[in-house]
Amino acid sequence: MPLVLNFNKMNEKNRYWIKKLICIVVCLCTLSLVNGQKFEGLADTPPMGWSSWNNFQCDINEKVIMEIADAMVETGLRDAGYVYVNLDDCWQVGRDSLGFIIADPEKFPSGMKALSDYIHSKGLKMGIYSDAGKITCDGHPGSLGHEYQDAFQYARWGIDYLKLDWCATQNVNPVGAYNLMRDALYAAGRPILFSICEWGLSKPWTWAQNTAHMWRTHWDILDCFDCQGSFVTDDNGIVSGVNNGVLSVLDHQVNSLRQYSGPGHWNDPDMLMVGVNRLNVNQSRAHFSMWCMLAAPLILGNDVRNMTPETKNILLNKEVIAIDQDKTGIQGLKFLAEDGLEFWFKPLTNNDWAFCILNRTKTDKEYILNWQKFNLYDEVSKRFTDFDSKVYNMYNLWSKKNEGNTQKNKKIVIPGEDVVLYRLNLKNN
Ligand code: GLA
């Protein structure tokens, strides 16, 4: 026992330093065990839920959110898989004397714990929003310098999902900032799904697989099909991007991003605009179908308390949702663009394919599907469609009809600003 003897013989000062050293080593070991990890198993398929931003922006309060939770259950949205109820910006008003974040007492008089208890009692999960900078995009307190405190507060409140935005972040490094919040969430101990929202600026798909469960790839989506919004400027007034309608956001989900998305970590082209103001039924169907082809998170943006039957039909089509939620978790690919039409394929389980034809124009288009033209090899899934030697059944996912098989050419009509979406399967062939 020479070490113990020496320790006992040491003077008070040396003993103090040895104890301090042991403490530091133990702390570092503990930190290295918890650091660098996100919660696994929270997003094996793309996350599904609802968020307050697209329809309500800052006009939120606990009554609205509770009514939304009720409607998610009554309409069948929860049972179709939409389980997260997410507060976006504007729920926070300040910090207390210890630095803990305070929820707006006028909008949320019962407090966040009571709200999450209510949401959980409905079989749903609760999401919340913050920002990696000093203030959020709407000017409320952000998490910079309070990451661990905020993570512990969210855990105490029973939060299940955090979206972390990127406003007011001059001189903040995105990799460091998002990893810091990941570590804080992990240390807080409650499994919280982590969503990065820095609009694709630092290409998070190249570095965030072990940081978060999803990352935005683009600026904000607008509630229009083929339009461009106002320019986004940074805090110095420099134009850094532009918010866009559905088609333009889609154009940024290029094939080269496919390899980065998959179970546990998804490319996020932004929340859905189905049923929000300016999108008509055809455009909404096209938007929803394409997000499913992309294996995108399906976060609803509409007021689910007041849905038209058409909006319900779109959002509750379980066979289309199944394309998005397919266990292979592979983002679809754009194979061909021709005369305003786009032809997309998504590999599915059991060697099935989802096949979507998008009509970007306003006029209905007739098209003859010549299957030989669609023989393709997909580098990401390592699969061939192989229409020369395989015969697939064609099931139309919107009309819910079997439409024969791929043995012969087939004439189809794709309505303007709409899609025709098939599941191609080899069953009974
Ligand atoms: C940013 C985000 C949006 C929304 C708003 C809230 O613009 O990209 O999704 O969260 O902030 O202020």
Side-chain angles (χ1 to χ4, degrees):
M1 308 280 282
L3 190 65
V4 176
L5 284 177
N6 287 346
F7 185 77
N8 285 338
K9 278 184 191 159
M10 278 175 196
N11 64 29
E12 211 30 55
K13 197 170 165 204
N14 284 347
R15 272 213 288 258
Y16 167 81
W17 282 111
I18 291 283
K19 278 187 199 160
K20 196 157 181 161
L21 192 67
I22 291 171
C23 267
I24 290 172
V25 170
V26 169
C27 285
L28 284 178
C29 289
T30 318
L31 267 180
S32 71
L33 281 179
V34 299
N35 261 8
Q37 286 192 52
K38 68 176 190 188
F39 287 102
E40 296 297 345
L42 298 183
D44 292 342
T45 57
M48 291 174 68
W50 175 89
S51 158
S52 55
W53 185 252
N54 286 359
N55 189 69
F56 294 94
Q57 283 94 49
C58 285
D59 199 9
I60 49 171
N61 58 58
E62 67 183 29
K63 182 168 172 288
V64 168
I65 302 299
M66 286 158 81
E67 287 172 7
I68 293 285
D70 295 344
M72 303 274 292
V73 178
E74 282 153 22
T75 54
L77 284 169
R78 179 199 62 190
D79 293 344
Y82 301 93
V83 291
Y84 289 101
V85 176
N86 296 349
L87 294 186
D88 207 278
D89 206 350
C90 308
W91 62 267
Q92 56 299 65
V93 278
R95 293 192 176 273
D96 68 14
S97 57
L98 296 174
F100 283 101
I101 189 80
I102 306 171
D104 186 332
E106 277 172 28
K107 290 177 172 173
F108 299 95
S110 313
M112 288 297 156
K113 179 68 173 73
L115 187 56
S116 91
D117 285 346
Y118 185 81
I119 289 171
H120 291 146
S121 76
K122 298 275 160 181
L124 295 159
K125 298 177 177 199
M126 178 163 165
I128 215 160
Y129 162 100
S130 190
D131 191 287
K134 276 199 289 283
I135 53 169
T136 69
C137 297
D138 199 72
H140 303 270
S143 288
L144 187 69
H146 293 274
E147 290 81 2
Y148 276 77
Q149 229 174 358
D150 285 356
F152 278 104
Q153 186 67 291
Y154 304 150
R156 271 207 290 251
W157 283 341
I159 301 298
D160 306 291
Y161 181 122
L162 171 68
K163 167 176 167 183
L164 195 64
D165 217 335
W166 192 242
C167 279
T169 50
Q170 300 99 313
N171 305 322
V172 183
N173 173 290
V175 183
Y178 283 104
N179 279 341
L180 179 61
M181 184 54 100
R182 171 207 54 197
D183 292 344
L185 292 172
Y186 201 81
R190 182 178 172 86
I192 293 181
L193 189 151
F194 190 28
S195 160
I196 291 180
C197 177
E198 58 74 84
W199 319 301
L201 290 176
S202 69
K203 300 189 171 49
W205 46 91
T206 60
W207 57 262
Q209 279 200 10
N210 297 319
T211 304
H213 303 93
M214 55 196 266
W215 46 75
R216 283 273 295 276
T217 51
H218 189 263
W219 300 101
D220 293 3
I221 190 170
L222 299 173
D223 63 335
C224 50
F225 197 63
D226 190 6
C227 68
Q228 226 183 38
S230 48
F231 286 99
V232 179
T233 49
D234 68 15
D235 301 314
N236 301 316
I238 296 168
V239 173
S240 43
V242 62
N243 296 331
N244 282 315
V246 172
L247 284 184
S248 185
V249 174
L250 178 67
D251 291 341
H252 285 83
Q253 314 312 308
V254 286
N255 286 349
S256 58
L257 287 189
R258 296 179 62 225
Q259 59 182 301
Y260 301 106
S261 199
H265 47 85
W266 305 97
N267 290 327
D268 173 16
D270 203 0
M271 302 170 287
L272 291 159
M273 283 292 185
V274 175
V276 183
N277 304 325
R278 290 185 288 162
L279 279 193
N280 68 29
V281 179
N282 299 48
Q283 296 168 338
S284 293
R285 188 167 34 239
H287 170 28
F288 190 70
S289 304
M290 292 317 304
W291 262 231
C292 291
M293 290 299 285
L294 293 171
L298 299 179
I299 306 296
L300 309 175
N302 58 320
D303 184 350
V304 296
R305 299 170 306 175
N306 303 302
M307 288 191 283
T308 61
E310 290 84 3
T311 297
K312 267 194 209 167
N313 269 340
I314 293 172
L315 298 179
L316 287 162
N317 185 324
K318 293 195 177 153
E319 289 162 321
V320 177
I321 294 172
I323 301 296
D324 179 79
Q325 295 290 301
D326 190 89
K327 292 273 183 291
T328 52
I330 296 178
Q331 181 173 324
L333 71 118
K334 180 159 80 178
F335 178 64
L336 183 71
E338 193 179 279
D339 186 28
L341 296 179
E342 284 181 9
F343 300 83
W344 289 72
F345 286 84
K346 180 178 193 287
L348 304 174
T349 44
N350 302 325
N351 290 319
D352 289 3
W353 292 89
F355 175 41
C356 190
I357 306 112
L358 166 69
N359 182 354
R360 298 174 68 109
T361 73
K362 290 192 188 313
T363 32
D364 299 358
K365 284 193 184 258
E366 229 177 62
Y367 188 84
I368 297 179
L369 290 170
N370 167 4
W371 296 103
Q372 268 67 50
K373 196 166 168 172
F374 299 109
N375 277 322
L376 65 91
Y377 174 66
D378 170 25
E379 288 282 349
V380 177
S381 63
K382 314 268 180 264
R383 278 174 50 189
F384 294 93
T385 49
D386 201 6
F387 288 111
D388 285 338
S389 59
K390 288 180 187 155
V391 178
Y392 294 87
N393 297 308
M394 299 171 65
Y395 179 69
N396 185 322
L397 293 170
W398 287 115
S399 70
K400 299 180 192 275
K401 287 196 180 112
N402 290 310
E403 290 189 8
N405 61 38
T406 57
Q407 222 156 10
K408 287 190 290 195
N409 290 353
K410 184 174 174 66
K411 188 159 92 182
I412 56 168
V413 175
I414 311 106
E417 300 192 318
D418 205 336
V419 290
V420 172
L421 176 60
Y422 292 108
R423 186 171 185 119
L424 305 178
N425 70 77
L426 294 167
K427 246 181 283 156
N428 307 323
N429 271 321

